[in-house]
Amino acid sequence: MRSRFRSDRRLTVRMTVTMFLLGLLYVAFVAALIVLLKSWILVAVLVAVMFVAQFWFSDKIAMFAMRGHVVEREQYPELHAVVDRLCAIADMPKPVIAVSELDMPNAFATGRNPDHAVVCVTTGLLRRLEPAELEGVLAHELSHVAHKDVAVITIASFLGVIAGLIVRFMFYSQLFGGGRRDQNTAAIFAAVIGVSAAVYAISFLLIRALSRYRELAADRAAAHLTGRPSALASALTKVSGEIARIPTKDLRTAQAFNAFYFTPATGKEPGIERIFSTHPPLEQRLAQLGRISAELGEAAAPEKTG
């Protein structure tokens, strides 16, 4: 089913290119592991188990980590009403609605496709936003589902997760059992760690680049669907300001899921490290929404004079 969210060819191209490059990296990674470990069965089982766990259970993992729970219409009627209205306008299936009992104002979408998606908001977000602002945030999250970039990010991050786990496993295995190995085994372990670290670094940069663009695409799609980019800009400003006041120690747990959030749980705008950020700078997002607001105003002017 094709939703009424404005399509974004540049996002589609970026997702395709990212998946293609990560696919090549994935093939090279698996081949290197088979050569180094000399057991294609071990590698195949490891990769298959991790892929199933991440792809099919990514929503449950994210919900568990962020203390989210599914809520029915009777519990949050206004939240359900906003999502119902947006899904009707966008002509898309309604996702499962969840609420996280966190004071950090934020929201995220997860799921492997539009028919198996979850949109979760925190109680901190619900307490702080006005209805129009909440609508803008929810439209932003729904656009991630409609554009299928949530699924792409989930699949794309799979390779990085595998590589990261192998690096940790090999490091601790070498640390605590290195004395019992000969030089050949130690060399293989070092090679596996090196290959895994390189794969993790490359996949990390590719995913971050895609993540920054998809946030801009979601802002654009939400602004055009609701027709109120100023409300989304207001929500962005308010949420970013509130997160900046939350102690860093309280944000550390949430930072692992920054790529899925409406606004990153960093508490500050990135400086030189923005190349590693999951989101574009707040100023860039607000500037884009300002341009869309001007465009919508110019488009509405002829109708008023006619």
Side-chain angles (χ1 to χ4, degrees), residues 154-165:
T154 299
I155 296 172
S157 60
F158 161 71
L159 183 57
V161 170
I162 286 284
L165 288 175

Side-chain angles (χ1 to χ4, degrees), residues 71 76-84 97-99 119 121 126 134 138:
V71 295
Y76 286 85
E78 295 180 1
L79 176 60
H80 273 269
V82 175
V83 176
D84 285 338
I97 307 302
V99 169
V119 170
V121 298
L126 294 175
L134 177 62
L138 290 171

Side-chain angles (χ1 to χ4, degrees), residues 61-68 99-102 104 108 120 122 253-254 257 261:
I61 294 171
M63 290 276 285
F64 176 77
M66 296 312 300
R67 291 182 279 169
V99 169
S100 170
E101 301 294 336
L102 291 178
M104 178 188 68
F108 66 89
C120 181
T122 66
T253 301
F257 294 92
Y261 283 136

Side-chain angles (χ1 to χ4, degrees), residues 296-297 299-306:
L296 293 178
E303 297 179 10
K304 292 181 180 178
T305 57

Side-chain angles (χ1 to χ4, degrees), residues 246-255:
I246 296 176
T248 303
K249 63 182 179 63
D250 295 333
L251 297 176
R252 286 173 184 162
T253 301
Q255 287 175 0

Side-chain angles (χ1 to χ4, degrees), residues 6 16 36 55 60-61 75 91 108 127 145 163 179 182 231 249 286-287 296:
R6 176 172 289 199
T16 302
L36 291 169
F55 188 60
K60 296 178 177 60
I61 294 171
Q75 297 170 278
D91 190 22
F108 66 89
R127 284 197 300 271
V145 176
D182 57 29
K249 63 182 179 63
L286 294 179
L296 293 178

Side-chain angles (χ1 to χ4, degrees), residues 1-8 11-12 15 86-87 90-93 95 109-111 113-115 117 119 138-151 214 218 221 225:
M1 181 182 292
R2 190 177 184 85
S3 79
R4 294 196 183 107
F5 272 108
R6 176 172 289 199
S7 61
D8 193 315
L11 175 62
T12 301
M15 289 193 296
L86 289 172
C87 288
D91 190 22
M92 64 180 289
T110 184
N113 57 50
D115 292 318
V119 170
L138 290 171
H140 173 103
E141 296 304 328
L142 288 172
S143 76
H144 283 315
V145 176
H147 288 154
K148 299 182 176 62
D149 56 80
V150 168
R214 83 182 189 113
L225 185 75

